[in-house]
């Protein structure tokens, strides 16, 4: 019927026309008489439909993911299953990077990813050994801020805060660009343990290094300082969401005056972002 080429186009599509060209207009009679069965058969030939049917389905991947998270094992034990695969991949990369003109090189980001596998699995001994082997004295790779973030997060999750703080000190002595997340995670954990003065000391150190932890990491410290009547640290400041909280309180108030203030505040913020 002339609407579908039996040979297909050079780009692999069913039509021999330019796929970016506008669609060809057809009449109502051509549309009604179009041979859909023939078109389907030709399309299947062009896309190798039988091979396509053998490809893994998305539902299989979904079932695999659901089986992975449905186990009763904690997350760090599930992560341990990835260690062998990470070690094999690293060994493969190292074997490919032996030549001087090799395209693949063992770099700090690659080593960080392997170290992260140990860290997420809470394999602290293996992580420390790997760090010493790959980043220690005489190693070609040098650690960066993310390297120390991985180690500090590992110790925080394992409940070894003193070691996590020691990792921060080593980072400050080793790298030129410290990772702000190392400070943020430590401040957040210390605040959760009600160690306010230590958290404030870390904020002083972060400020001296020109770093400012993210809001989510200092929110609890701000609350503790408010409760204890301690002056807020300059990097902590006031709650950026306080205006929203005040508006919600006024909105729930039964007093007409408070409701008017809340209404004006909401209108002001709406107009400023519109």
């Amino acid at each position: 019927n002339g609407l579908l080429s039996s040979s297909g186009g050079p780009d692999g599509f069913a039509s021999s026309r330019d796929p970016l060209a506008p669609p060809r207009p057809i009449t109502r009679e051509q549309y009604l008489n179009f041979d859909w069965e023939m078109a389907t058969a030709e399309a299947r030939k062009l896309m190798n439909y039988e091979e396509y049917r053998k490809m893994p389905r998305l539902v299989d991947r979904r079932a695999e993911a659901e089986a992975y998270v449905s186990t009763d094992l904690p997350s760090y034990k599930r992560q341990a299953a990835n260690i062998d695969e990470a070690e094999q991949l690293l060994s493969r990369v190292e074997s490919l990077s032996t030549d001087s003109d090799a395209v693949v090189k063992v770099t700090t980001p690659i080593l960080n990813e392997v170290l992260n596998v140990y860290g997420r699995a809470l394999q602290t001994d293996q992580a420390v050994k790997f760090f010493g082997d790959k980043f220690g004295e005489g190693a070609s790779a040098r650690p960066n801020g993310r390297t120390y973030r991985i180690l500090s997060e590992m110790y925080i999750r394992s409940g070894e805060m003193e070691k996590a703080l020691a990792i921060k000190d080593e980072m400050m002595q080793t790298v030129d660009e410290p990772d702000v997340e190392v400070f943020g995670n430590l401040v957040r954990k210390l605040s959760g343990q009600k160690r306010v003065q230590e958290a404030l000391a870390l904020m002083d150190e972060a400020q001296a290094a020109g770093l400012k932890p993210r809001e989510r990491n200092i929110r609890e410290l701000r609350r503790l300082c408010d409760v204890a009547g301690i002056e807020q640290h300059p990097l902590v400041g006031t709650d950026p969401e306080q205006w929203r909280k005040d508006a919600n309180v006024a909105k729930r108030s039964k007093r007409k005056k408070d409701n008017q203030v809340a209404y004006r505040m909401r209108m002001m913020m709406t107009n400023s972002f519109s």
Side-chain angles (χ1 to χ4, degrees), residues 196-197 200 221-232:
V196 179
Q197 295 303 325
L200 290 173
L221 178 60
R222 181 187 296 115
R223 187 190 70 81
L224 292 174
C225 290
D226 287 340
V227 171
I230 302 175
E231 183 181 357
Q232 294 290 356

Side-chain angles (χ1 to χ4, degrees), residues 45-61:
K45 290 180 182 178
L46 291 172
M47 67 183 301
N48 200 353
Y49 186 72
E50 293 303 321
E51 291 298 323
Y52 174 77
R53 291 182 60 185
K54 298 177 183 178
M55 292 176 61
R57 285 294 183 269
L58 180 61
V59 65
D60 298 332
R61 299 289 295 176

Side-chain angles (χ1 to χ4, degrees), residues 127-196:
V128 171
K129 183 179 183 304
F130 182 85
F131 177 82
D133 293 341
K134 304 302 181 181
F135 297 106
E137 186 177 355
S140 58
R142 305 304 304 161
N144 57 18
R146 186 168 186 273
T147 309
Y148 291 103
R149 186 206 307 183
I150 293 169
L151 293 174
S152 66
E153 287 178 347
M154 176 185 69
Y155 284 126
I156 289 174
R157 291 179 60 213
S158 64
E160 301 175 89
M161 280 300 295
E162 300 310 316
K163 291 185 178 180
L165 291 168
I167 288 295
K168 181 268 303 177
D169 294 336
E170 183 178 344
M171 176 188 72
M172 297 301 293
Q173 299 172 2
T174 305
V175 302
D176 296 329
E177 298 182 2
D179 193 314
V180 66
E181 289 302 310
V182 173
F183 284 92
N185 292 331
L186 288 171
V187 168
R188 187 176 185 179
K189 187 65 176 180
L190 289 173
S191 301
Q193 296 177 347
K194 305 297 188 293
R195 297 162 66 175
V196 179

